[in-house]
Amino acid sequence: MEWSIRTLDRGELPGFRPYLLPETARGLERRADGLLALGAVTVRSACGAAAVRRSGTSAELTDLFVDASVRRRGAGRALLEELIRRLEAEGAARLSADYVLRGEELAAMDHLLDTCGFSAPQRRSRVFQVPSERFHDDPRLGAAFSPQYRTPLGVCALGEVSAAALEELETAEDIPEHLAWASLRDRALPELSVGMLREGRVAAYLLAEEGGGGCVLLSAVRRAAAPPTAFQSLLLELLNRSWYRFGGDFPFYFSALTPKVERLALLLMGDRYEDYEEHTCARKLISQAGPRKEEGPL
């Protein structure tokens, strides 16, 4: 099977949206700086896509997906190699990859990156996935899927929180950096992420994004002013918002955020989850860009 590779922009997006993360698609729509996306096309239609986000001389592989009809035929490798070629031509020095998969798909991605010169993939964290339909009959979480559900007083989307409350979150010293709003706000969706307000401050929050066709829990924080039930209340709100956002049932993902949150989440999940893994690796790039010319005096 033959295919060609093209640079993607907002005009090309409709045909390639199934192969891109929602965050990447939104970036193409708004022409985000630092985003480079490529699409693979057969004679008849789009069959895959890959994307990176560039920052200085580094880049991160964010997307790499090909249609089942062309897998194991080199389309993924062709997309990745073309990305590497373009990054090296631009003078990039490093390309990293961070991905969440399981089973054969995880093994295939590990193998592809290894054969394309990346360092040996390392496991970063354990990731859990639960189909939302498994919560419907749960006595603690099933209410999120009922038309009678009502948002608790003091709970709202972070997109509705005041600028002063968000600013306080950015300077809070009681929140670990890897769970902080400031560290994750470029990924978190304000309309999906939820918080609990106490006296004008965000006492607890869940940060979430879209991914894998569903909701990805990025961060869970409960501060001293929040009640012990804050996590369950916010989780109900997040599930309800996701239910309407995705138009029905959806996959729900979360990782080992902290040992305490993981224990609580697994208690709520019961035996209904599936194990995924987050792997990470990187490759050094050989810059093909020539040295910059020094500008002389005007």
Side-chain angles (χ1 to χ4, degrees):
M1 180 178 291
E2 295 184 0
W3 55 78
S4 59
I5 294 177
R6 63 179 65 171
T7 304
L8 300 185
D9 56 25
R10 63 189 303 177
E12 299 268 12
L13 184 56
F16 291 91
R17 192 181 291 272
Y19 308 114
L20 295 168
L21 292 175
E23 180 184 0
T24 304
R26 289 193 296 269
L28 288 175
E29 287 175 339
R30 64 175 186 269
R31 298 187 176 95
D33 292 337
L35 175 61
L36 170 62
L38 303 179
V41 183
T42 64
V43 175
R44 292 176 294 178
S45 61
C47 65
V52 296
R53 290 190 182 276
R54 296 163 291 190
S55 178
T57 59
S58 297
E60 179 186 4
L61 180 69
T62 58
D63 305 58
L64 180 57
F65 187 82
V66 296
D67 194 88
S69 63
V70 298
R71 288 179 188 171
R72 303 182 187 279
R73 300 189 183 186
R77 186 183 184 96
L79 283 165
L80 183 55
E81 289 180 341
E82 180 62 14
L83 280 175
I84 290 171
R85 186 190 70 78
R86 296 197 188 191
L87 289 170
E88 290 183 333
E90 294 176 0
R94 183 177 186 272
L95 175 60
S96 62
D98 192 316
Y99 47 98
V100 176
L101 295 166
R102 69 192 296 261
E104 292 183 1
E105 291 186 343
L106 178 64
M109 180 66 83
D110 285 346
H111 177 72
L112 173 61
L113 295 173
D114 182 58
T115 57
C116 285
F118 284 73
S119 59
Q122 300 295 314
R123 173 174 163 169
R124 172 170 286 179
S125 67
R126 185 182 180 189
V127 178
F128 310 93
Q129 189 254 51
V130 187
S132 68
E133 58 264 29
R134 298 183 183 177
F135 294 138
H136 287 204
D137 297 327
D138 187 276
R140 293 163 296 192
L141 300 176
F145 307 96
S146 167
Q148 284 73 46
Y149 173 82
R150 295 293 180 269
T151 299
L153 185 66
V155 172
C156 64
L158 283 189
E160 302 167 7
V161 171
S162 70
L166 291 179
E167 184 178 351
E168 190 274 332
L169 279 182
E170 294 187 9
T171 58
E173 297 182 354
D174 60 330
I175 301 176
E177 183 178 355
H178 69 289
L179 301 178
W181 163 246
S183 299
L184 294 167
R185 61 184 170 187
D186 288 341
R187 294 178 60 189
L189 291 177
E191 65 272 25
L192 194 58
S193 302
V194 293
M196 178 177 289
L197 299 179
R198 289 290 186 271
E199 298 181 353
R201 299 178 66 192
V202 179
Y205 62 76
L206 302 181
L207 303 182
E209 68 170 344
E210 290 183 22
C215 175
V216 181
L217 179 61
L218 298 171
S219 173
V221 168
R222 180 170 72 87
R223 305 171 73 186
T229 58
F231 179 76
Q232 184 171 337
S233 297
L234 291 175
L235 184 56
L236 277 164
E237 181 69 13
L238 176 57
L239 291 173
N240 181 259
R241 287 178 176 270
S242 298
W243 169 258
Y244 285 104
R245 184 179 184 88
F246 297 111
D249 282 310
F250 57 92
F252 179 73
Y253 300 87
F254 69 97
S255 61
L257 304 171
T258 66
K260 185 175 182 179
V261 169
E262 180 182 339
R263 288 193 298 270
L264 179 56
L266 290 177
L267 178 63
L268 293 171
M269 305 298 134
D271 60 355
R272 293 168 290 200
Y273 65 86
E274 295 180 352
D275 263 316
Y276 282 69
E277 290 186 27
E278 179 183 10
H279 284 192
T280 182
C281 59
R283 171 188 161 138
K284 291 182 179 179
L285 303 179
I286 301 173
S287 175
Q288 302 299 320
R292 294 183 180 180
K293 296 181 179 180
E294 296 293 334
E295 293 186 0
L298 296 177

